[in-house]
């Protein structure tokens, strides 16, 4: 096995634009708002773009390679994660995602818990993370009256900010932001408010699933310093773990036979070296690290997100051991 890159799957969005052209040269025509970069979902499945398996669909690759690709602890009949980049020339709808139980019952799909890492943000850019100073009844009335903004928790953002968006949390991406989104492999979204753009909204279902007790807060993480790089534990839940590597020279790692890793470059550029070769990684690139890759290293001056489905207790123990020194 080798580190795998997938073709970018681009999607027109009413709030999109041409911002991906700042760091990519393969953008199709249109108002592009999303790039699904590691995806195996009915609404978008990646095609391998490099190496021996070039041209193979992600679904076919999973069927052929199984645990050698995904890892022995990745269970179920669906790839667990979806990794995308989102760029906004206008505000996205105010929305909420259901949990697994509600989504499976009402949509036949998984729920969605996700995390946002801000790669770029224009001055004054904001995100909506949660509600404020309202009850369910007040929120519902404000939707009817079209003055929901007073109940939305708006947060100014800058590059490097990280937010955990649990199912049930009202949220929205504002204008002028480039975000890496790591999420459950689901495309289930309930729009609450869409700035009168004429698209369907899902008020009844949204009110069913909004958890008004949830608070949207920036994740500062826990940082551990090593020779040549820093590692920050940014997010940990049953669905995914996200760690940021701030690499100055090199980080050496070994793949985990129990699980795959996803590496996303959010700043700078460098190279991934492995037993039989190397590949270049630059801002906006995501790379799939197979469970059986073995030893590999990332060299350069860059920042990389590492996402994976964790053994939560194992990661918690690792964090505690690092804190204790």
């Amino acid at each position: 096995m080798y580190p795998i890159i997938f073709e970018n799957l681009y999607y027109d969005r009413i709030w999109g634009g041409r911002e991906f052209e700042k760091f990519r040269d393969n953008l199709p025509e249109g108002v592009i708002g999303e790039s699904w970069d590691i995806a195996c979902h009915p609404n978008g499945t990646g095609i391998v773009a490099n190496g021996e398996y070039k041209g193979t669909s992600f679904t076919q690759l999973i069927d052929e390679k199984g645990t050698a690709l995904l890892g022995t602890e990745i269970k179920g009949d669906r790839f667990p994660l979806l990794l995308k980049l989102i760029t906004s020339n206008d505000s996205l709808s105010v929305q909420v995602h259901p949990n697994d139980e509600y989504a499976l019952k009402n949509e036949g799909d998984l729920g969605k818990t996700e995390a946002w890492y801000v790669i770029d943000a224009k001055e004054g850019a904001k995100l909506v993370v949660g509600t404020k100073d309202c009850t369910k009844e007040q929120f519902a009335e404000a939707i009817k009256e079209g003055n929901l903004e007073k109940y939305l928790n708006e947060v100014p953002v800058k590059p490097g900010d990280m937010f955990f968006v649990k199912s049930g949390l009202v949220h929205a991406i504002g204008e002028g932001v480039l975000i890496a989104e790591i999420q459950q492999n689901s495309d289930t979204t309930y729009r609450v408010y869409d700035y009168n753009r004429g698209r369907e909204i899902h008020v009844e279902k949204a009110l069913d699933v909004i958890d008004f007790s949830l608070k949207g807060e920036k994740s500062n993480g826990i940082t551990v310093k090593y020779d040549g790089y820093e590692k920050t534990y940014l997010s940990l839940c049953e669905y995914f773990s996200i760690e940021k590597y701030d690499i100055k020279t090199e980080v050496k790692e070994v793949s985990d036979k129990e699980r795959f890793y996803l590496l996303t470059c959010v700043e700078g550029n460098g190279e991934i070296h492995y037993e039989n070769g190397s590949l270049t990684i630059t801002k906006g690139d995501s790379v799939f690290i197979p469970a059986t890759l073995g030893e590999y290293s990332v060299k350069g001056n860059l920042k990389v997100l590492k996402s994976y489905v964790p053994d939560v207790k194992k990661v918690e123990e690792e964090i505690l051991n690092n804190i204790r020194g």
Side-chain angles (χ1 to χ4, degrees):
M1 301 297 292
Y2 60 91
I4 295 168
I5 299 172
F6 292 95
E7 295 179 6
N8 309 120
L9 304 177
Y10 290 111
Y11 294 86
D12 266 53
R13 297 291 188 248
I14 194 171
W15 36 260
R18 307 295 300 173
E19 294 299 304
F20 285 120
E21 289 181 324
K22 291 182 177 179
F23 55 92
R24 288 182 178 171
D25 60 6
N26 64 346
L27 207 64
E29 294 183 1
V31 183
I32 307 301
E34 294 188 12
S35 175
W36 291 20
D37 294 342
I38 298 183
C40 191
H41 188 276
N43 294 341
T45 297
I47 303 296
V48 177
N50 68 320
E52 177 184 352
Y53 306 114
K54 184 176 181 179
T56 304
S57 75
F58 201 173
T59 304
Q60 182 181 346
L61 191 62
I62 291 172
D63 288 343
E64 291 180 1
K65 296 301 177 181
T67 57
L69 181 75
L70 301 182
T72 57
E73 291 301 310
I74 304 302
K75 309 298 184 183
D77 57 0
R78 174 183 290 194
F79 185 71
L81 299 179
L82 172 58
L83 194 155
K84 63 175 76 168
L85 300 186
I86 298 174
T87 180
S88 57
N89 269 6
D90 198 355
S91 295
L92 278 68
S93 62
V94 179
Q95 57 189 240
V96 66
H97 305 303
N99 61 23
D100 287 343
E101 181 181 2
Y102 188 96
L104 287 168
K105 180 180 178 180
N106 291 276
E107 311 297 342
D109 196 1
L110 293 175
K112 190 196 293 190
T113 287
E114 61 194 24
W116 292 339
Y117 181 90
V118 180
I119 300 175
D120 283 328
K122 294 180 180 178
E123 186 174 352
K126 297 179 181 179
L127 300 176
V128 171
V129 280
T131 57
K132 62 179 182 181
D133 305 325
C134 67
T135 63
K136 178 178 179 179
E137 291 72 25
Q138 289 172 319
F139 194 81
E141 187 63 26
I143 294 173
K144 291 180 182 178
E145 295 175 352
N147 61 353
L148 192 63
E149 286 92 338
K150 62 185 177 182
Y151 293 138
L152 301 177
N153 181 39
E154 287 191 332
V155 179
V157 293
K158 64 184 185 305
D161 286 350
M162 178 80 176
F163 294 87
F164 179 68
V165 182
K166 183 178 173 60
S167 61
L169 181 74
V170 171
H171 60 279
I173 297 172
E175 178 185 351
V177 182
L178 172 64
I179 279 178
E181 182 175 281
I182 297 93
Q183 58 166 87
Q184 284 181 266
N185 189 11
S186 168
D187 204 22
T188 302
T189 296
Y190 298 146
R191 294 193 195 102
V192 179
Y193 181 67
D194 197 37
Y195 305 96
N196 300 312
R197 288 185 289 210
R199 296 190 296 174
E200 181 183 6
I201 59 174
H202 317 91
V203 175
E204 185 176 344
K205 288 182 176 179
L207 290 173
D208 278 347
V209 303
I210 293 172
D211 184 343
F212 289 91
S213 70
L214 290 177
K215 304 298 181 185
E217 297 178 348
K218 184 173 72 173
S219 171
N220 293 316
I222 298 170
T223 299
V224 183
K225 295 184 178 182
Y226 297 93
D227 184 22
Y229 69 97
E230 294 181 355
K231 179 179 179 178
T232 301
Y233 298 89
L234 287 174
S235 185
L236 175 63
C237 67
E238 63 179 298
Y239 303 113
F240 50 75
S241 179
I242 303 172
E243 300 156 8
K244 181 175 72 173
Y245 289 74
D246 188 348
I247 303 168
K248 301 304 181 186
T249 54
E250 179 182 16
V251 55
K252 295 181 179 180
E253 295 214 321
V254 180
S255 64
D256 185 341
K257 292 182 179 180
E258 294 184 347
R259 56 189 45 81
F260 62 87
Y261 296 143
L262 310 180
L263 303 184
T264 303
C265 181
V266 294
E267 184 179 317
N269 59 80
E271 294 180 336
I272 298 175
H273 292 258
Y274 55 102
E275 183 178 2
N276 296 316
S278 65
L279 59 83
T280 299
I281 183 171
T282 190
K283 178 181 175 179
D285 291 344
S286 286
V287 180
F288 184 101
I289 301 296
T292 55
L293 176 66
E295 294 181 355
Y296 68 96
S297 64
V298 184
K299 298 180 179 181
N301 188 355
L302 68 164
K303 294 179 181 179
V304 174
L305 301 182
K306 176 181 173 182
S307 309
Y308 58 96
V309 179
D311 177 331
V312 173
K313 288 186 178 180
K314 185 176 179 180
V315 177
E316 288 175 341
E317 289 174 1
E318 178 183 313
I319 294 171
L320 287 173
N321 288 336
N322 283 324
I323 292 173
R324 293 169 183 151

